[in-house]
Amino acid sequence: MSDEVKASFVDECVNAGRVIGYMTGNEQPQVEDLPENVCWEFLRSTGVGRLAVIVDGHPDIFPVNFVVDHGTVVFRTAKGTKLTAAVSESPVALEIDGYDAKAEQAWSIVLRGEAEQIRETQELVDTLSLPLFPWQAGAKEQFVRINVAIISGRRFKVARPDIWATPLSDARRASFE
């Protein structure tokens, strides 16, 4: 698309009262930075997240179910790429998010820290008592603890779909699209 066509399209969107990806007028997106204790409450209320690790020099993401245990996060896994990457010298991140339909609010929590494999006998025994049950069948005999260094979260009201509409929102598409 040429710059002239893009400019014309943006002008058309603005004249229609909308700009792609941005709210206009008096509506300002309200993003609430969540305090640490609220972030932990969301973590305790959710059992599934996405673990971000570095694999062969590149980021990779794995879904994990987890449990909060005394200011840390614990998950189970089998031996393999996820375990090797998680307990490497690289930091990890865990992200969870959700939506409160009644309040029309979405939220997102991200924690960062170092992961370590749980190996000590007493700690393994204590960990076995946690309500942590893998969703996928198979041996998940390795336990990993994420020692949280940073936790942050945000909550915001979800925009109505019509705010994001553009003149092309209802455009017909070719059969190959």
Side-chain angles (χ1 to χ4, degrees):
M1 187 181 294
S2 73
D3 289 341
E4 187 176 295
V5 172
K6 287 180 191 175
S8 173
F9 176 70
V10 170
D11 286 343
E12 188 177 337
C13 291
V14 170
N15 291 336
R18 300 172 183 93
V19 176
I20 298 173
Y22 299 96
M23 292 190 280
T24 61
N26 293 332
E27 291 188 61
Q28 294 296 318
Q30 299 295 318
V31 177
E32 175 188 4
D33 289 327
L34 299 174
E36 198 171 306
N37 66 315
V38 173
C39 293
W40 283 107
E41 286 176 29
F42 277 120
L43 276 168
R44 284 184 196 92
S45 71
T46 306
V48 178
R50 288 165 295 284
L51 177 71
V53 296
I54 302 297
V55 177
D56 296 329
H58 300 284
D60 207 344
I61 299 174
F62 296 91
V64 294
N65 59 313
F66 64 89
V67 65
V68 173
D69 182 38
H70 298 95
T72 67
V73 171
V74 176
F75 66 92
R76 292 175 74 159
T77 189
K79 290 183 179 179
T81 304
K82 181 185 351 171
L83 175 64
T84 301
V87 299
S88 72
E89 304 227 351
S90 297
V92 300
L94 181 78
E95 192 267 344
I96 63 168
D97 49 36
Y99 176 67
D100 179 347
K102 283 187 177 183
E104 296 181 340
Q105 290 183 322
W107 51 266
S108 180
I109 310 297
V110 176
L111 63 85
R112 296 168 186 86
E114 302 290 327
E116 63 182 0
Q117 190 168 357
I118 299 172
R119 296 179 186 268
E120 298 295 321
T121 303
Q122 187 57 51
E123 192 176 5
L124 279 169
V125 169
D126 293 343
T127 303
L128 286 170
S129 68
L130 295 173
L132 185 57
F133 308 103
W135 285 3
Q136 187 180 28
K140 308 284 190 218
E141 298 170 350
Q142 312 303 312
F143 290 86
V144 177
R145 180 179 307 281
I146 301 173
N147 296 302
V148 179
I150 299 170
I151 186 168
S152 61
R154 297 167 43 145
R155 178 171 39 201
F156 53 91
K157 188 145 184 89
V158 174
R160 295 184 328 266
D162 63 317
I163 287 177
W164 300 101
T166 71
L168 295 179
S169 293
D170 294 325
R172 296 205 179 258
R173 299 189 181 271
S175 62
F176 57 83
E177 291 186 340

